[in-house]
Amino acid sequence: MSDVRVLILGTGGMANAHADAYAAMGGVQLVAGIDTDPGRLAAFNEKYGITQGFGSIDAALAWGEFDAVSNVTPDPVHYPTTLPLLKAGKHVLCEKPLAVTYDHAQEMADAAQDAGVVHMVNLTYRNVPAVAEAARIVAAGTIGEVRHFEASYLQSWLVQPAWGDWRSESQWLWRLSSAHGSTGVLGDVGVHILDFATLVAGADAAQVSARLKTFDKAPGGQIDAYVLDANDSMTMQVALTNGAVGVIHASRFATGHINDLRLRIHGTRGALDVRFENDKSILRACLSPDLQSATWQDMDVPTVKTNYVRFIEAVRDNSPVLPDFHRGAVLQKALDAAIASDADGCRDIMV
């Protein structure tokens, strides 16, 4: 079987994770890059030995010698850049969130289905073994009917330079500015924890109430061309289609956490504690006969294939793969509802 020829669309920081993953696979060639910044594109192509570089999608499609695309552009660019690729019959792995509105996400999902191509959203925490095993346990009915959950995604890069100085580096500053396409912590990592929680629970969000908060981070709320108005922390109350209720929260001001996800989910016959903390996948369970003593046990978890591997396998087989664009649209509908809920405001309590 011939190699799968992959093009990287957008050659910024996250593109390296995609390229490294493909470069480690057999039967995959990195054949081209696209970026509007010629210097960044040249450096990326040199790093990965890529011979073809383009400044636009039109130019790349006119060349056409690729099978699949990793779309690693900023959030608002996913929609306009993915549609022509789908129309041309190219398979697409798109970074999250799929789009910045539900209407655009659903249009992308419909277009992918009509094109008959492989389409996938890079919700990277699907790569965590504990998440996959927890979803399997819940689906098997081991914890009974899900009643309650609590989920969090905690980062601290706004209070300490874990990944660099956000005050001076554009790769972080754009994530703080709505004018540069950011929907804040809600769209950047909120989509991850929402997927994390609802995947394990086996049900989608039915009702959402949310609060979004932007903190003062610079004099006048601006650094150079970046107006720092995107939300930094978010809280959500969520009711699921299976009747369960729970809370989800995320923040970039979570001092003491670099990049940690956690879910505790409670059913009528047991509970699970799912964590990805300090790059470690952890699953614990409280099941019969330990319910009375509330004893939690560590659970073994099998390894899982990464999104990148599963995407390439699906391209080779021309078969469906999850999480697909339809999943991306479902998540975006909940994120849109969260933004609308926050805009409705809350009641002030006068003492």
Side-chain angles (χ1 to χ4, degrees):
M1 182 179 294
S2 59
D3 288 352
V4 175
R5 302 167 300 173
V6 176
L7 178 149
I8 305 293
L9 171 56
T11 59
M14 187 60 189
N16 291 275
H18 288 243
D20 288 340
Y22 294 131
M25 295 181 208
V28 178
Q29 289 186 56
L30 290 171
V31 296
I34 303 177
D35 205 301
T36 56
D37 183 326
R40 185 167 58 201
L41 174 61
F44 181 83
N45 279 5
E46 181 179 2
K47 179 178 179 180
Y48 292 101
I50 299 171
T51 58
Q52 298 292 329
F54 303 96
S56 71
I57 291 173
D58 287 344
L61 287 174
W63 174 64
E65 299 298 317
F66 59 99
D67 308 301
V69 177
S70 266
N71 189 338
V72 206
T73 57
D75 301 352
V77 187
H78 295 169
Y79 169 76
T81 56
T82 297
L83 288 179
L85 296 170
L86 298 175
K87 187 176 181 181
K90 305 300 182 181
H91 309 288
V92 180
L93 171 63
C94 186
E95 268 301 326
K96 54 72 199 167
L98 182 59
V100 293
T101 67
Y102 167 70
D103 288 345
H104 281 177
Q106 188 59 54
E107 185 179 346
M108 293 166 71
D110 291 341
Q113 182 170 320
D114 291 345
V117 298
V118 175
H119 47 100
M120 189 179 191
V121 183
N122 193 30
L123 294 161
T124 50
Y125 297 100
R126 296 291 185 105
N127 301 336
V128 175
V131 176
E133 180 64 6
R136 186 198 67 77
I137 290 172
V138 173
T142 304
I143 71 167
E145 296 182 34
V146 177
R147 291 288 188 252
H148 186 82
F149 65 93
E150 51 184 312
S152 62
Y153 191 149
L154 303 178
Q155 296 179 330
S156 58
W157 58 266
L158 285 176
V159 288
Q160 50 85 26
W163 302 326
D165 185 0
W166 61 267
R167 295 173 179 84
S168 60
E169 298 178 7
S170 61
Q171 63 175 320
W172 307 117
L173 278 168
W174 83 264
R175 297 174 185 271
L176 307 176
S177 173
S178 61
H180 288 78
S182 177
T183 52
V185 74
L186 177 70
D188 191 19
V189 303
V191 66
H192 279 307
I193 197 63
L194 180 63
D195 179 64
F196 193 111
T198 56
L199 171 69
V200 174
D204 293 325
Q207 295 176 312
V208 171
S209 175
R211 290 294 172 261
L212 310 177
K213 178 67 175 181
T214 304
F215 296 97
D216 292 334
K217 296 179 289 297
Q222 185 169 349
I223 296 176
D224 298 329
Y226 298 89
V227 177
L228 309 182
D229 59 347
N231 57 86
D232 303 308
S233 292
M234 73 89 172
T235 63
M236 298 171 64
Q237 295 187 72
V238 183
L240 303 182
T241 53
N242 62 3
V245 296
V247 294
I248 297 175
H249 64 101
S251 180
R252 291 171 175 147
F253 274 97
T255 310
H257 295 269
I258 302 299
N259 190 63
D260 295 343
L261 293 86
R262 183 175 183 181
L263 167 68
R264 299 194 79 172
I265 186 163
H266 307 274
T268 53
R269 295 203 299 273
L272 299 174
D273 185 347
V274 193
R275 306 187 194 188
F276 186 70
E277 298 177 337
N278 296 320
D279 291 326
K280 294 181 179 179
S281 171
I282 301 168
L283 176 61
R284 303 176 71 236
C286 182
L287 304 170
S288 180
D290 296 326
L291 298 181
Q292 188 68 24
S293 62
T295 300
W296 291 76
Q297 306 286 349
D298 291 332
M299 305 289 285
D300 292 329
V301 292
T303 58
V304 297
K305 296 177 180 178
T306 68
N307 288 347
Y308 305 107
V309 169
R310 294 190 299 112
F311 175 64
I312 294 299
E313 289 180 346
V315 169
R316 287 198 178 106
D317 298 338
N318 197 29
S319 60
V321 63
L322 296 175
D324 61 10
F325 281 14
H326 295 287
R327 174 64 172 172
V330 167
L331 294 171
Q332 191 59 49
K333 194 170 191 177
L335 297 183
D336 282 9
I339 293 171
S341 172
D342 179 66
D344 289 340
C346 58
R347 297 181 181 179
D348 291 325
I349 300 175
M350 303 299 294
V351 178

